[in-house]
């Protein structure tokens, strides 16, 4: 077998063509890895704070909080279930919330976009203890004060502390605080008083959904049966984690399909580039190949050697692409969540699996792009090569 050092030396000697080809392959890996990182962020952001011991109750047939409606008197029935945990003061650990969407003007760019507004009760921070006010203060219950998630604070007109915007026409509210929620999709929401929100959007006497913390995750089946078997309620129960998983499906699949299509087209170009580079290299090394054959190296050894050289070239490109993709961790990307049709801010979140897969894709491109040039090299006659 021809030593791998021979292939490494050839790549270093032809550093200009090596760098150009590796950059092309790196671009494909960059796109591929970035798409997977973004899709991973979509799934994680929408379900980051979801818990198995929290159940979400919506109107039967509703696939999102936005289109669900539960009468206010049903909230007490839901939270009175034996499976719902109790707080230290004896109250059931659950909340009823209203979801609405408003149009706001974006800052730093032209155009407007949907922002999700969540009408929350007074005890929302007791139900969601992971939520922290990181700037300003909590909103006063029963007032026109709101708090905004840190992901959208300052990205829309009126969403900075001290500024105001209209929930509906002639219904201004004032931003008094910014909160964080572990990087979840809640950080792309505006939280307003429940009664203020219901009044502004004509939702008096109802909520969109009810969340209930159960005494344990194993009590979910019993809770689900107690609610869904009561036909008078007409409600449906899901684990919060399952709900967010379904919410992320549409956006995640769309990003993956679009990204993979782009990466496929790019990869075809990159493989053609690698093939041209290897063909050119072989044309300039015919005498060298002839010498190897004269020294006794078999056709298979020549084939294997040039395939290894092509894969090494692709791995170098893959490493460049992965390093560039890791830089995307500092970029914030906003897109519309297909479930709520509101804007959600995502980041690019890498995982070891994504990085390894991306480099493996580069190796496959190198293998495919280098196969025919390697086959050509293996077929070169040593006599003709020495004469040439």
């Amino acid at each position: 077998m021809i030593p791998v050092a021979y292939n490494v030396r050839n790549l270093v000697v032809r550093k200009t063509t090596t760098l150009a080809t590796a950059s092309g392959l790196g671009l494909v890996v960059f796109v591929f890895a970035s798409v997977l990182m973004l899709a991973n962020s979509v799934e994680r952001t929408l379900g980051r704070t979801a818990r198995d011991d929290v159940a979400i109750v919506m109107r039967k047939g509703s696939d999102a909080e936005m289109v669900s409606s539960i009468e206010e008197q049903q909230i007490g029935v839901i939270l009175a279930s034996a499976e719902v945990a109790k707080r230290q003061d004896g109250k059931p650990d659950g909340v009823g919330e209203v979801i609405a969407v408003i149009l706001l003007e974006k800052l730093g760019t032209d155009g407007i976009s949907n922002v999700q507004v969540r009408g929350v009760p007074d005890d929302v921070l007791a139900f969601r203890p992971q939520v922290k006010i990181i700037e300003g203060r909590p909103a006063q219950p029963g007032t026109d004060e709101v708090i905004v998630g840190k992901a959208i604070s300052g990205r829309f007109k009126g969403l900075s502390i001290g500024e105001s915007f209209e929930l509906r026409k002639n219904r201004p509210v004032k931003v008094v605080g910014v909160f964080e929620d572990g990087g979840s999709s809640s950080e792309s929401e505006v939280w307003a008083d429940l009664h203020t929100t219901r009044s502004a959007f004509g939702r008096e006497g109802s909520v969109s959904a009810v969340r209930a913390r159960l005494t344990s995750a194993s009590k979910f089946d019993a809770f689900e049966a107690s609610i869904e078997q009561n036909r008078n309620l007409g409600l449906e129960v899901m684990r919060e984690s399952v709900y967010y998983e379904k919410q992320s499906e549409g956006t995640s699949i769309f990003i993956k399909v679009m990204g993979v299509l782009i990466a496929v087209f790019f990869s075809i170009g990159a493989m053609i580039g690698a093939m041209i580079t290897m063909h050119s290299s072989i044309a300039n090394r015919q005498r060298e190949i002839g010498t190897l054959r004269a020294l006794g190296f078999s056709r298979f050894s020549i084939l294997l050697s040039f395939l290894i050289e092509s894969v090494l070239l692709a791995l170098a490109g893959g490493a460049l692409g992965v390093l560039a993709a890791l830089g995307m961790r500092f970029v914030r990307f906003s897109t519309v969540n297909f479930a709520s049709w509101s804007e959600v801010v995502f980041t690019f979140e890498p995982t070891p699996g994504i990085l390894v897969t991306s480099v493996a894709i580069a190796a496959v491109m190198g293998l495919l792009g280098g196969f025919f040039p390697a086959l050509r090299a293996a077929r070169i006659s040593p006599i003709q090569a020495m004469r040439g």
Side-chain angles (χ1 to χ4, degrees), residues 16 77 268 270:
T16 302
V77 177
I268 293 172

Side-chain angles (χ1 to χ4, degrees), residues 171-218:
R171 288 303 305 266
V173 290
K174 183 178 180 181
V175 178
V176 297
V178 178
F179 68 89
E180 66 175 11
D181 189 14
S184 75
S185 59
S186 298
E187 294 182 358
S188 296
E189 295 178 345
V190 172
W191 285 9
D193 177 76
L194 176 61
H195 302 292
T196 301
T197 308
R198 290 199 295 200
S199 173
F201 293 94
R203 300 285 297 272
E204 292 92 345
S206 68
V207 295
S208 299
V210 175
R211 279 177 168 77
R213 193 183 316 282
L214 308 180
T215 52
S216 76
S218 62

Side-chain angles (χ1 to χ4, degrees), residues 1-317:
M1 180 176 169
I2 301 172
V4 176
Y6 164 77
N7 306 106
V8 175
R9 182 184 63 81
N10 281 315
L11 290 175
V12 173
V13 168
R14 297 170 177 80
K15 54 183 178 232
T16 302
T17 54
T18 297
L19 185 60
T21 307
S23 299
L25 291 164
L27 178 61
V28 177
V29 173
F30 167 74
V31 173
F32 185 78
S34 298
V35 166
L36 293 185
M37 288 162 59
L38 183 58
N40 179 52
S41 176
V42 170
E43 293 171 357
R44 288 193 178 187
T45 299
L46 292 180
R48 195 179 297 277
T49 57
R51 296 182 51 148
D52 283 340
D53 63 347
V54 173
I56 180 168
V57 184
M58 297 188 296
R59 177 63 55 192
K60 199 166 191 175
S62 303
D63 57 0
E65 293 176 88
M66 177 72 69
V67 295
S68 171
S69 178
I70 298 175
E71 296 171 8
E72 189 164 17
Q73 58 266 32
Q74 292 181 327
I75 300 175
V77 177
I78 296 168
L79 297 182
S81 298
E83 296 79 16
V84 176
K86 297 288 190 296
R87 296 177 187 164
Q88 289 184 342
D89 58 5
K91 293 181 179 178
D93 200 5
V95 290
E97 299 171 329
V98 169
I99 299 296
V101 167
I102 59 175
L103 275 174
L104 287 178
E105 186 178 337
K106 299 180 75 171
L107 295 177
T109 181
D110 294 332
I112 55 178
S113 186
N114 288 335
V115 174
Q116 185 161 291
V117 177
R118 184 177 295 272
V120 296
D122 305 349
D123 57 353
V124 64
L125 295 181
F127 182 74
R128 303 174 192 264
Q130 77 280 2
V131 174
K132 306 294 180 190
I133 302 295
I134 58 173
E135 193 177 349
R137 59 174 175 79
Q140 291 293 325
T143 68
D144 289 338
E145 294 179 346
V146 301
I147 56 177
V148 301
K150 72 173 186 179
I152 57 170
S153 176
R155 293 177 69 94
F156 290 87
K157 187 176 181 180
L159 291 193
S160 296
I161 287 186
E163 295 182 345
S164 299
F165 64 94
E166 291 187 332
L167 276 183
R168 296 294 293 269
K169 191 171 179 60
N170 299 323
R171 288 303 305 266
V173 290
K174 183 178 180 181
V175 178
V176 297
V178 178
F179 68 89
E180 66 175 11
D181 189 14
S184 75
S185 59
S186 298
E187 294 182 358
S188 296
E189 295 178 345
V190 172
W191 285 9
D193 177 76
L194 176 61
H195 302 292
T196 301
T197 308
R198 290 199 295 200
S199 173
F201 293 94
R203 300 285 297 272
E204 292 92 345
S206 68
V207 295
S208 299
V210 175
R211 279 177 168 77
R213 193 183 316 282
L214 308 180
T215 52
S216 76
S218 62
K219 297 293 184 184
F220 175 81
D221 290 341
F223 178 69
E224 181 184 32
S226 69
I227 299 298
E228 294 190 355
Q229 288 177 5
N230 187 340
R231 296 184 178 179
N232 293 326
L233 294 176
L235 302 175
E236 185 176 2
V237 183
M238 272 189 276
R239 287 189 193 273
E240 195 179 38
S241 54
V242 174
Y243 172 73
Y244 281 119
E245 184 180 328
K246 291 184 176 179
Q247 295 294 292
S248 68
E249 280 180 350
T251 307
S252 176
I253 290 174
F254 173 77
I255 290 173
K256 282 183 179 175
V257 169
M258 290 299 295
V260 168
L261 282 176
I262 293 171
V264 165
F265 285 117
F266 276 27
S267 66
I268 293 172
M271 283 191 291
I272 292 173
M275 193 179 298
I276 292 172
T277 300
M278 292 302 294
H279 272 302
S280 173
S281 173
I282 290 166
N284 294 326
R285 292 157 62 185
Q286 289 203 30
R287 188 179 295 275
E288 195 175 300
I289 295 169
T291 303
L292 290 171
R293 291 296 313 280
L295 289 173
F297 289 104
S298 65
R299 290 181 185 273
F300 179 74
S301 295
I302 300 290
L303 174 74
L304 187 62
S305 178
F306 277 85
L307 277 179
I308 289 173
E309 188 168 319
S310 179
V311 171
L312 287 176
L313 180 61
L315 288 176

Side-chain angles (χ1 to χ4, degrees), residues 30 33-35 37-42 45 48 151 155 183 323-335 344-350:
F30 167 74
S34 298
V35 166
M37 288 162 59
L38 183 58
N40 179 52
S41 176
V42 170
T45 299
R48 195 179 297 277
R155 293 177 69 94
L323 285 175
L326 285 174
M328 295 296 287
R329 289 183 302 169
F330 305 103
V331 176
R332 298 168 74 84
F333 179 82
S334 63
T335 187
V344 181
V345 179
F346 302 102
T347 56
F348 293 77
E349 296 188 30

